[in-house]
């Protein structure tokens, strides 16, 4: 499923345009376009240009350190890595089911993360494009511009994220890189005072979340032709689903559907993910390309995250969010569920669901319990899967008899979406850039397509085998003295 503009037969004869770095995303990446002499786009690619390699860093470390270590992948979604790794380490210590208190404290932490991350992405990073226009004045197209012209929207975004961060602080110990989830459970509960503190504002958070959903719907209604066609493509989907088919962002079985909505597999134990998902490496990116094994490398790519989750679950188990989900699916005959920009609408529905779930959990006295940790029969491997804000997150570890990690495989949400993001930018290049003289506003259309996925490029930067590397020695005057490069096969 590839587009003609990706097959550049003589790239050396083409003009190269780079968008570097992509702005208003987490991490560093770039997009390259190859244009012919008539400004027709012959190739468009998203490149991940940083490399971090946490799968190697954790080798040789005691398994109980991993839930804290892997959070350093990211400062935006550390809770997701903390909990995915903790779920994997639960299995290492032989625990398949946590105590009710530990389970609900982890869920509360996770939904606080969903709330703060979705608020950050929509209000701070994406709303400037949506409120002012993709090719509006660049000096105005930022959160400062939103605060000046739409102060109520900006304030709600800031306070929604602040509340989510407070949930994380209280459950994890601090707002960023907390320590409370441990193999087999958690190391702290919350107090009655802390619970009452969070309860005081939760109904306001629900109200603001509903307003955010309605704002996204209005934007679609006002720009239906653009929003429904922008970067549109068909794709398979993947995500976790609860046993009864409900959306569950903390735990469940894997469900995959093809681009026509037909179920490919359902309620699969995520411990067997390797039987269903494989990964491909390409020479021009440090991010791997996952695919559904049964469909192969060319046809098996898919998308994950809010758009996939809202479209593919049977229902959302909180009333306001489920009502909004039904309206979303019915909008314009169901067109929104295939639109790249509909990620924003679906993301706000999930933010509303997170706020409602936090409210329900805060009314559960199990949060105040003292039965926090379990242990069982020691195992050699563990797989933890969670629905992070950006999509399905997989952590897989092998541990030896000395309790040291000997191998790790992380498939993060942005990695799952790698090919989907490339397809989106190709479509946008074809629709909006092809044959036109490029301007900053037109190039921002490409960035808008990437931002819709809320990519975390820092989390996604690791690959199998040898990768191309360039090393340059620069003197104090900025002059290049020497350099060394290695290709994909490691030849210098």
């Amino acid at each position: 499923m590839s587009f003609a503009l990706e097959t550049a037969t003589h790239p050396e004869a083409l003009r190269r345009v780079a968008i570097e770095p992509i702005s208003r995303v987490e991490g560093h990446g770039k997009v390259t376009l190859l244009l012919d002499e008539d400004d027709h786009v012959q190739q468009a690619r998203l490149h991940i240009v940083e490399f971090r390699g946490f799968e190697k860093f954790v080798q040789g470390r005691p398994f109980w350190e991993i839930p804290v270590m892997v959070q350093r992948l990211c400062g935006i979604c550390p809770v997701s890595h903390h909990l995915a790794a903790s779920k994997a380490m639960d299995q290492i210590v032989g625990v398949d089911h946590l105590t009710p208190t530990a389970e609900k404290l982890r869920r509360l932490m996770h939904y606080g993360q969903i709330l703060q991350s979705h608020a950050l992405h929509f209000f701070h990073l994406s709303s400037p494009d949506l409120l002012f226009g993709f090719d509006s004045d660049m000096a105005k197209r930022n959160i400062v511009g939103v605060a000046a012209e739409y102060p109520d929207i900006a304030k709600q975004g800031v306070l929604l994220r602040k509340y989510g961060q407070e949930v994380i602080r209280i459950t994890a110990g601090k707002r960023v890189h907390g320590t409370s989830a441990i193999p087999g459970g958690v190391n702290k509960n919350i107090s009655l005072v802390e619970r009452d503190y969070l309860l005081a504002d939760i109904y306001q958070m629900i109200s603001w979340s509903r307003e955010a959903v309605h704002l996204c719907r209005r934007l679609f209604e006002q720009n239906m032709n653009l929003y429904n066609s922008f970067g549109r493509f068909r794709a398979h989907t993947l995500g976790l689903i609860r046993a009864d088919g409900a959306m569950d962002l903390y735990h469940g079985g894997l469900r995959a559907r093809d681009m026509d909505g037909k179920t490919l597999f359902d309620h699969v134990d995520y411990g067997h993910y390797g039987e269903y998902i494989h990964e491909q490496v390409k020479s021009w990116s440090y991010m791997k390309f996952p695919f559904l094994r049964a469909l192969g490398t060319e046809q098996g790519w898919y998308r994950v995250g809010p758009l996939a989750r809202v479209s593919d679950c049977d229902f959302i188990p909180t009333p306001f969010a489920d009502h909004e989900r039904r309206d979303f699916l019915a909008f314009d005959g169901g067109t929104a569920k295939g639109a790249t920009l509909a990620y924003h609408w679906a993301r706000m529905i999930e933010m509303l669901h997170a706020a409602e779930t936090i409210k329900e959990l805060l009314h559960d006295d199990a949060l105040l319990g003292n039965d926090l940790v379990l242990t069982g029969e020691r195992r050699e491997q563990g797989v933890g899967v969670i629905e992070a804000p950006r999509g399905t997150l997989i952590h897989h570890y092998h541990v030896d008899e000395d309790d040291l990690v000997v191998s790790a495989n992380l498939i993060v949400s942005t990695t799952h979406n790698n090919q989907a993001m490339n397809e989106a930018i190709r479509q946008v290049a074809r629709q909006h850039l092809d044959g036109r003289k490029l301007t900053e506003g037109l190039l921002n259309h490409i960035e808008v397509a990437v931002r819709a996925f809320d990519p975390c490029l820092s989390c996604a930067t690791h690959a199998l085998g040898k990768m191309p590397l360039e090393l340059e020695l620069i003197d104090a005057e900025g002059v290049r003295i020497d350099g060394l490069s290695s290709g994909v096969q490691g030849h210098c």
Side-chain angles (χ1 to χ4, degrees):
M1 195 187 309
S2 60
F3 296 111
L5 62 79
E6 178 62 9
T7 57
T9 54
H10 299 288
E12 69 280 357
L14 300 174
R15 179 164 57 95
R16 178 179 177 272
V17 175
I19 305 172
E20 184 180 15
I22 303 169
S23 62
R24 285 184 275 135
V25 296
E26 206 291 318
H28 298 280
K30 70 177 180 180
V31 171
T32 59
L33 307 172
L34 295 182
L35 292 82
D36 64 20
E37 59 184 9
D38 296 318
D39 293 318
H40 294 301
V41 181
Q42 299 297 315
Q43 186 182 86
R45 283 179 172 175
L46 170 66
H47 303 261
I48 307 305
V49 296
E50 59 182 351
F51 180 78
R52 305 192 76 186
F54 266 74
E55 291 161 318
K56 281 292 184 183
F57 294 165
V58 300
Q59 289 181 18
R61 305 304 306 176
F63 71 82
W64 55 82
E65 291 183 355
I66 303 306
V68 173
M69 284 186 65
V70 294
Q71 293 186 95
R72 269 63 185 183
L73 274 160
C74 183
I76 300 298
C77 47
V79 169
S80 302
H81 293 290
H82 184 52
L83 292 177
S86 296
K87 290 179 74 175
M89 297 311 159
D90 294 341
Q91 296 175 29
I92 297 295
V93 298
V95 175
D96 293 316
H97 302 285
L98 303 178
T99 68
T101 295
E103 167 91 7
K104 289 169 184 178
L105 283 165
R106 283 195 189 179
R107 283 183 174 272
L108 181 58
M109 187 195 314
H110 181 52
Y111 281 93
Q113 162 71 1
I114 295 290
L115 179 67
Q116 73 86 14
S117 180
H118 282 354
L120 169 66
H121 179 74
F122 179 74
F123 291 99
H124 293 69
L125 305 182
S126 292
S127 71
D129 299 314
L130 305 177
L131 294 172
F132 297 129
F134 304 166
D135 55 359
S136 57
D137 180 7
M138 183 172 59
K140 179 180 180 181
R141 203 172 59 232
N142 50 58
I143 186 59
V144 176
V146 173
E149 192 152 335
Y150 300 94
D152 289 342
I153 291 176
K155 177 182 177 182
Q156 289 174 14
V158 170
L159 294 180
L160 278 162
R161 181 167 191 255
K162 178 184 177 182
Y163 181 86
Q165 291 288 79
E166 285 295 279
V167 172
I168 295 169
R169 179 184 66 81
I170 287 171
T171 54
K174 51 183 181 177
R175 295 180 183 89
V176 181
H177 301 152
T179 60
S180 66
I182 59 176
V186 295
N187 61 18
K188 67 180 292 290
N189 61 8
I190 68 173
S191 69
L192 186 60
V193 171
E194 290 170 327
R195 183 175 74 167
D196 290 345
Y197 168 71
L198 293 176
L199 275 171
D201 291 326
I202 187 56
Y203 293 97
Q204 181 64 74
M205 299 304 118
I206 292 173
S207 176
W208 283 342
S209 297
R210 295 181 73 184
E211 290 181 26
V213 176
H214 299 157
L215 170 60
C216 285
R217 174 168 186 149
R218 288 197 304 274
L219 290 169
F220 254 79
E221 290 172 339
Q222 294 165 5
N223 305 277
M224 190 176 298
N225 290 336
L226 172 62
Y227 277 39
N228 270 340
S229 64
F230 185 86
R232 188 181 189 89
F233 60 91
R234 303 174 73 212
H236 314 310
T237 55
L238 176 77
L240 288 181
I241 206 76
R242 204 168 74 181
D244 60 357
M247 174 183 284
D248 192 326
L249 302 179
Y250 178 78
H251 192 64
L254 291 172
R255 169 182 284 179
R257 285 181 169 160
D258 68 15
M259 61 185 64
D260 296 316
K262 178 183 176 182
T263 300
L264 299 170
F265 53 80
D266 206 1
H267 301 292
V268 166
D269 180 352
Y270 61 62
H272 302 294
Y273 78 95
E275 299 173 20
Y276 299 87
I277 301 169
H278 279 196
E279 300 170 84
Q280 182 185 27
V281 173
K282 298 186 179 182
S283 62
W284 43 271
S285 179
Y286 284 115
M287 186 158 60
K288 293 180 280 190
F289 289 77
F291 60 93
L292 300 176
R293 180 178 180 182
L295 300 181
T297 57
E298 293 299 318
Q299 300 295 326
W301 58 271
Y302 51 88
R303 60 182 161 204
V304 299
L307 185 58
R309 293 186 296 231
V310 169
S311 300
D312 287 351
C313 69
D314 297 335
F315 65 99
I316 297 178
T318 53
F320 291 146
D322 194 52
H323 174 80
E324 298 297 346
R325 172 188 174 271
R326 292 194 299 270
D327 284 353
F328 171 81
L329 295 179
F331 180 80
D332 192 32
T335 56
K337 65 181 181 181
T340 293
L341 290 176
Y343 262 101
H344 299 299
W345 189 349
R347 191 170 287 117
M348 293 300 93
I349 293 173
E350 285 192 346
M351 187 174 75
L352 173 58
H353 170 53
E356 290 185 280
T357 301
I358 290 169
K359 186 247 322 180
E360 292 178 356
L361 286 167
L362 288 174
H363 283 98
D364 193 326
D365 288 339
L367 295 176
L368 310 176
N370 293 309
D371 190 7
L372 303 180
V373 186
L374 295 174
T375 57
E377 185 176 351
R378 179 75 158 69
R379 299 170 186 164
E380 294 183 350
Q381 72 168 320
V383 178
V385 178
I386 201 167
E387 284 295 331
R390 294 151 181 85
T392 311
L393 172 63
I394 300 173
H395 279 231
H396 183 187
Y397 303 93
H398 285 85
V399 177
D400 66 15
E401 60 186 9
D402 296 320
D403 293 341
L404 303 180
V405 174
V406 294
S407 69
N409 186 42
L410 312 181
I411 309 180
V412 307
S413 315
T414 300
T415 305
H416 289 293
N417 272 332
N418 191 0
Q419 187 62 30
M421 289 190 293
N422 274 279
E423 297 298 329
I425 65 172
R426 289 169 192 161
Q427 284 285 13
V428 170
R430 166 182 284 176
Q431 294 167 337
H432 299 279
L433 276 65
D434 194 54
R436 302 179 64 181
K437 294 295 182 182
L438 297 184
T439 64
E440 187 280 329
L442 283 177
L443 291 177
N444 186 53
H445 283 60
I446 295 286
E447 295 193 58
V448 168
V450 175
R451 279 192 287 269
F453 291 85
D454 185 16
C456 185
L457 305 180
S458 296
C459 294
T461 54
H462 39 263
L464 300 171
K466 295 184 174 70
M467 294 299 296
L469 176 68
E470 292 186 5
L471 178 66
E472 291 186 332
L473 181 62
I474 309 295
D475 68 14
E477 303 300 323
V479 178
R480 183 180 185 274
I481 301 173
D482 201 357
L484 183 68
S485 65
S486 66
V488 179
Q489 302 305 321
H491 301 303
C492 292

